[in-house]
Amino acid sequence: MEQIQDPVYNGNVTVRCTAEEYEARQRKKQAESQQRYQNNPQAAATKLYQIARGDTGGGRAASALLLSLWNDNFAANLRDVICSLDIDNTEAAIALLSTLGPGHHLERYLTQEQIIEIIDVWGHMHERRRA
C-alpha cells in the first residue's frame, strides 16, 4: 500500500490501494459484520434502528425494512434496502431477516416507542398505498 501527502487537504495522508487490496478489505469487513450479527438479532435490530433515526439514504432504507417488519401498513423494496446500505448495515439487515419467523418477531428486539419514533420520521414515505 502506498501513502502520499495530499496538498489539497493540507498535507494529510491519503491512502491509496490496489483493487485486490480494496477487495480484501471489503471481504474482511463483511466477515467481521457477519460474525458480529450472526446470532445476535438484538444487535442487528439496534444497529438498523440507530441508522433509521437519521436523515440519510441509509436511514430511509433501514426504516423501510424495520417498518415493513413491524406490520402490514408499511412496505419495503428489499433491493433498494440492500443497495442503499453499506456492508456492515447490509449484514445487520440480512441477520435480522434470517432470524425473524415463528416465535421471533421484531417486537422482541425493538419497543413500540422506538418504532413510533421511526414512523414519525419516515412513516409517510413507506406507508402502503391502499386502493
Side-chain angles (χ1 to χ4, degrees), residues 22-96:
Y22 177 78
E23 288 297 322
R25 284 188 206 160
Q26 295 300 90
R27 283 191 301 275
K28 182 179 177 191
K29 281 183 191 177
Q30 184 176 13
E32 289 169 352
S33 297
Q34 284 174 343
Q35 188 173 8
R36 180 173 31 259
Y37 301 119
Q38 185 174 16
N39 292 316
N40 195 350
Q42 180 67 54
T46 301
K47 177 69 171 177
L48 293 172
Y49 165 72
Q50 291 169 344
I51 297 162
R53 294 174 61 202
D55 189 18
T56 64
R60 179 187 44 76
S63 66
L65 178 64
L66 292 175
L67 292 178
S68 70
L69 293 172
W70 187 256
N71 66 31
D72 253 359
N73 296 331
F74 302 97
N77 178 334
L78 286 181
R79 181 174 186 239
D80 180 51
V81 170
I82 298 300
C83 290
S84 297
L85 297 172
D86 65 11
I87 289 173
D88 186 53
N89 301 327
T90 297
E91 291 300 328
I94 291 169
L96 186 60

Side-chain angles (χ1 to χ4, degrees), residues 2-6 9 11-16:
E2 176 183 347
Q3 294 185 352
I4 62 170
Q5 293 293 353
D6 191 342
Y9 297 103
N12 292 331
V13 174
T14 302
V15 178
R16 310 255 191 248

